Amino acid sequence: MPKPFVVLPKDRSRALDVVGEKVTVLASRDDTDGYELFLQDGTKGSGPPPHSHHWDESFFVVKGSIEFGFDHHGMLAGPGTLVHIPAGTEHWFRFASDDGQMFSVTGAGSSAAAFFTQVDAEVADGADLAALAAVADRHGIHARPVGK
């Protein structure tokens, strides 16, 4: 059974390098008994390719601008914008400014924290696309090949 907890800024874990984006795990599913919380910082152009997974995901833009795409729809989101992506929906995002930051929440069954941790450890600068695809596959993340 999870217990109440507080994460002060000074107690946060190290930001993980996830293909050019910095992702701080604020709470894993082990901490909450289900969902996960992240703080994501990126510079212009960083972000994942189109992908889907078996958990819901919501993003709240804190600062900067971030472009989101889902269901053949694209939008530029600024501070205060909430974007919700249901499980199984192909989606992507790209930081559109150098000071982008968003808070994200993944739903029950998420393995995003484990995925981000393994990408940080195993994929150098995101250059090894085969290694990135292998880590994604281990966590039930299905990425569309670039250009498809």
Side-chain angles (χ1 to χ4, degrees), residues 13-133:
S13 61
R14 173 184 72 80
L16 303 171
D17 186 1
V18 182
V19 192
E21 185 183 347
K22 297 296 184 186
V23 178
T24 303
V25 178
L26 299 173
S28 71
R29 71 180 183 187
D30 292 337
D31 298 325
T32 66
D33 198 29
Y35 61 93
E36 298 182 311
L37 304 165
F38 306 95
L39 187 61
Q40 297 179 239
D41 292 279
T43 57
K44 188 172 185 174
S46 62
H51 66 282
S52 63
H53 37 67
H54 62 272
W55 57 83
D56 290 356
E57 190 168 31
S58 293
F59 305 92
F60 183 80
V61 179
V62 176
K63 65 181 181 177
S65 55
I66 303 169
E67 186 178 7
F68 288 90
F70 53 90
D71 290 339
H72 307 288
H73 172 76
M75 67 166 293
L76 187 63
T81 303
L82 174 71
V83 176
H84 175 73
I85 307 294
T89 303
E90 185 178 81
H91 61 286
W92 57 270
F93 62 83
R94 190 84 48 239
F95 285 87
S97 61
D98 280 329
D99 63 343
Q101 184 180 64
M102 63 183 169
F103 175 76
S104 60
V105 179
T106 58
S110 170
S111 62
F115 168 73
F116 294 146
T117 300
Q118 287 184 354
V119 168
D120 178 72
E122 298 176 23
V123 183
D125 299 325
D128 187 345
L129 296 180
L132 181 61

Side-chain angles (χ1 to χ4, degrees), residues 5-13 24 26:
F5 64 91
V6 173
V7 179
L8 298 172
K10 68 178 184 66
D11 298 329
R12 290 181 188 160
S13 61
T24 303
L26 299 173

